[in-house]
């Protein structure tokens, strides 16, 4: 008998896996907070004998090197990946025994495309393929994006993705489970598809990499590529150099004077509370990144890399969860933190500040008043429909483009409210009069607003 455990890293839209028999197991693409993987192994009473990477990741810092060091496992990394640490180089066709008692083995299968060295791993029980850990190659209904390595290689890698998908489909039986690392909200996915599980057979009927000819597939894939999160530029080098162990102990406690001093020094003070609470009352100059949203993705995308960050949280538990999210993208230690009642985060002489929230119906009632409508969605979202007359500045570029927002009261919206809240906090911190539209964009046209398309 064998098992496969999925370790969700929901904030980044990724999954890691632990697969094994009764005594030993392999960890696939582990997150940086390796205690999650160690706990899974403990639940099954197995030793982690192998740790494998499908590729050098661009969207998170791996825990593979540290997990292998702590457990004594063999660390398998594709041979073509340039790294600065000792590892076991893996080439196409290499096999490793994972658990002898379960007749469980792992076979490497070269699947370039997401990166030039990308390697999938086929889990075999008694010589029969039961699952394929496909990393950023074949995903659910799509493939990993091919434009993260080098712009000049993008089309070449897109064609390699098509060939790799066909190789997986040709060599594996229809019932073989496909277990990708990306594709559950990760920006490493070329598009977002619904569904939490799939097989080779299902992908043959629904994945454009397997249903379209290579030219049509490549054309559609390249046309659909969207912005790359800025922090990705730091992830590949960190993973190639060998990430350091993480420290998840609580940061130093900041009182109101320290919060004010850090704001005055130009550091980022990030309020993790939900957007409703933040809009109702917050420290002037603080920024709102909801702990329950895509905290790591958007904070790492927007913050100038290396700038100190102080976290303000409702509770010690919320703070600890945020720390865990942030170390996964290389924001290792908050400069300071505070928890509890937000009135304690501001000095006695300084009241909390607020801004209003609204719906698209509210906006429709105010469009004749000369307000500024700011759309902070990505380009691909706006092309499908936008409020006519609105200004477009994607949220991940807003910090550097605040000067482009026209004078006047700014009504800022996104697709659902989370990114609008981030943008509203940036504008509020810059001294602008702002209204956060906390509503689904689907409601805009129903509210009577004129919606156009590109």
């Amino acid at each position: 008998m064998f098992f496969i455990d999925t370790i969700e890293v929901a904030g980044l839209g990724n999954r890691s896996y632990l697969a094994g028999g009764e005594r030993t197991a392999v960890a696939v693409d582990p997150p940086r907070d390796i205690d999650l993987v160690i706990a899974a192994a403990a639940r099954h009473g197995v030793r982690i004998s192998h740790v494998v990477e499908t590729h050098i990741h661009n969207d998170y810092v791996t825990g593979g090197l540290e997990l292998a060091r702590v457990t004594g496992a063999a660390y398998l990394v594709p041979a073509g990946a340039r790294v600065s640490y000792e590892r076991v180089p893996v080439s196409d066709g290499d096999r490793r025994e994972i658990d002898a008692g379960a007749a469980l083995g792992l076979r490497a299968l070269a699947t370039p495309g997401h990166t030039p060295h990308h390697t999938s791993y086929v889990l075999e029980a008694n010589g029969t393929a039961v699952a394929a850990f496909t990393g950023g190659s074949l995903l659910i209904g799509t493939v990993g994006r091919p434009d993260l390595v080098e712009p000049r290689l993008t089309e070449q890698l897109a064609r390699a993705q098509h060939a790799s998908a066909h190789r997986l489909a040709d060599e594996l039986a229809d019932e073989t489970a496909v277990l990708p690392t990306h594709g559950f909200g990760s920006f490493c996915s070329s598009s977002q598809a619904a569904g939490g599980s799939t097989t080779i057979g299902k992908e043959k009927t629904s994945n454009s990499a397997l249903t379209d000819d290579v030219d049509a597939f490549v054309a559609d894939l390249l046309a659909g590529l969207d912005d790359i999160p800025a922090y990705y530029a730091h992830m590949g080098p960190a993973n190639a150099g060998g990430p350091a162990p993480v420290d998840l102990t609580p940061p130093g406690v900041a009182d109101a004077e320290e919060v004010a001093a850090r704001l005055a020094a130009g550091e980022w003070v990030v309020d993790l509370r939900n957007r409703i609470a933040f809009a109702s009352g917050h420290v002037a100059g603080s920024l709102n990144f909801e702990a329950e949203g895509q905290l790591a993705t958007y904070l790492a995308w927007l913050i100038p890399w290396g700038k100190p960050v102080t976290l303000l949280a409702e509770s010690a538990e919320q703070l600890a969860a945020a720390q865990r999210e942030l170390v996964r993208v290389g924001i290792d230690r908050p400069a300071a933190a505070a928890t509890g009642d937000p009135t304690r985060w501001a000095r006695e002489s300084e009241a909390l500040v607020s801004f209003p929230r609204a719906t698209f119906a509210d906006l429709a009632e105010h469009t004749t008043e000369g307000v500024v409508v700011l759309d902070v969605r990505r380009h691909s979202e706006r092309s499908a429909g936008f409020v006519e007359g609105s200004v477009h500045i994607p949220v991940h570029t807003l910090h550097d483009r605040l000067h482009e927002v026209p004078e006047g009261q700014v009504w800022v919206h996104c697709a659902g409210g989370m990114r609008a809240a981030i943008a509203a906090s940036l504008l509020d911190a810059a001294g602008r009069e702002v209204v956060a539209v906390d509503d689904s964009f689907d409601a805009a046209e129903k509210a009577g607003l004129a919606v156009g398309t590109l």
Side-chain angles (χ1 to χ4, degrees):
M1 293 294 291
F2 68 90
F3 70 88
I4 301 175
D5 271 11
T6 300
I7 300 165
E8 295 277 358
V9 188
L12 295 177
N14 286 327
R15 290 177 177 177
S16 297
Y17 302 94
L18 183 74
E22 294 183 358
R23 302 174 69 87
T24 49
V26 57
V28 181
D29 290 341
R32 196 176 182 196
D33 43 334
I34 62 173
D35 57 317
L36 299 178
V37 187
I38 293 172
R43 286 194 297 270
H44 287 280
V46 296
R47 176 177 63 86
I48 299 174
S49 60
H50 294 78
V51 178
V52 303
E53 303 282 8
T54 56
H55 60 295
I56 299 299
H57 304 282
N58 287 287
D59 63 331
Y60 68 94
V61 181
T62 181
L65 183 63
E66 179 66 4
L67 181 60
R69 186 191 69 80
V70 168
T71 62
Y75 189 30
L76 278 58
V77 178
R82 296 180 179 274
V83 298
S84 60
Y85 44 81
E86 292 294 323
R87 88 291 192 203
V88 178
V90 178
S91 299
D92 186 48
D94 286 354
R95 281 183 163 83
R96 293 290 187 279
E97 183 179 79
I98 301 303
D99 188 279
L104 200 64
L106 202 67
R107 174 168 59 93
L109 198 155
T111 48
H114 186 49
T115 66
H117 61 265
H118 191 283
T119 301
S120 298
Y121 298 91
V122 179
L123 187 69
E124 298 175 333
N126 294 305
T128 298
V130 292
F133 300 107
T134 55
S137 182
L138 187 65
L139 311 185
I140 300 178
T142 185
V143 295
R145 60 192 300 169
D147 60 333
L148 301 180
V149 177
E150 160 60 52
R152 292 173 297 178
L153 297 177
T154 297
E155 182 173 349
Q156 174 185 330
L157 290 176
R159 291 182 178 277
Q161 280 288 53
H162 188 271
S164 291
H166 278 267
R167 183 182 183 192
L168 287 163
D170 291 344
E171 294 192 16
L172 300 175
D174 284 357
E175 61 269 20
T176 307
V178 175
L179 303 176
T181 300
H182 305 313
F184 310 96
S186 168
F187 281 90
C188 269
S189 176
S190 61
S191 64
Q192 300 304 323
S197 63
T198 191
T199 63
I200 290 293
K202 290 179 182 177
E203 293 307 303
K204 284 181 177 179
T205 64
S206 61
N207 195 311
S208 60
L210 298 173
T211 60
D212 294 353
D213 68 67
V214 63
D215 291 331
F217 166 77
V218 169
D220 287 346
L221 178 62
L222 299 186
L225 294 175
D226 213 328
D227 295 339
I228 299 171
Y231 72 92
Y232 277 28
H234 305 280
M235 298 298 96
N239 288 325
V246 298
D247 178 3
L248 291 175
T249 58
V253 177
D255 60 15
E257 291 294 335
E258 182 176 352
V259 170
R262 291 188 177 279
L263 283 168
E267 297 180 11
W268 277 33
V269 174
V270 171
D271 191 324
L272 299 168
R273 295 175 300 149
N274 70 65
R275 56 187 182 263
I276 299 173
F278 181 86
S280 297
H282 55 272
V283 176
S286 63
L287 305 175
N288 184 213
F289 290 80
E290 292 181 305
E292 288 74 28
Q294 289 180 282
L295 169 65
T297 293
Y298 282 100
L299 180 55
W301 198 339
L302 271 69
I303 193 170
W305 197 253
K307 183 177 282 289
V309 58
T310 294
L311 300 178
L312 307 179
E314 289 180 330
S315 63
E317 292 76 18
Q318 187 180 63
L319 174 62
Q323 279 186 260
R324 183 178 288 274
E325 286 279 325
L326 294 178
V327 298
R328 293 169 176 164
V329 293
I331 301 178
D332 284 7
R333 292 291 296 167
T339 60
D341 189 335
T343 59
R344 297 168 52 194
W345 304 339
R347 294 179 293 194
E348 289 185 9
S349 60
E350 299 170 342
L352 297 178
V353 297
S354 63
F355 54 76
R357 296 165 50 253
T359 65
F360 279 107
D362 297 323
L363 175 59
E365 295 178 1
H366 288 77
T367 53
T368 59
E369 300 175 8
V371 301
V372 177
V373 180
L374 178 62
D375 180 351
V376 296
R377 297 172 301 158
R378 296 188 301 279
H379 293 281
S380 59
E381 296 172 284
R382 184 173 172 83
S383 65
F386 61 91
V387 176
E388 292 188 357
S390 60
V391 176
H392 181 224
I393 303 177
V395 68
H396 57 273
T397 68
L398 182 60
H399 181 249
D400 295 323
R401 299 174 62 187
L402 287 168
H403 63 281
E404 297 181 29
V405 181
E407 293 299 318
Q409 186 184 64
V410 183
W411 288 60
V412 57
H413 79 84
C414 60
M418 181 194 74
R419 288 171 292 171
I422 295 172
S425 72
L426 286 166
L427 290 159
D428 179 69
R432 298 297 302 271
E433 182 183 1
V434 63
V435 178
V437 178
D438 194 354
D439 200 0
S440 169
F441 186 74
D442 293 340
E445 192 167 18
K446 297 174 184 176
L449 292 164
V451 174
T453 57
L454 296 179

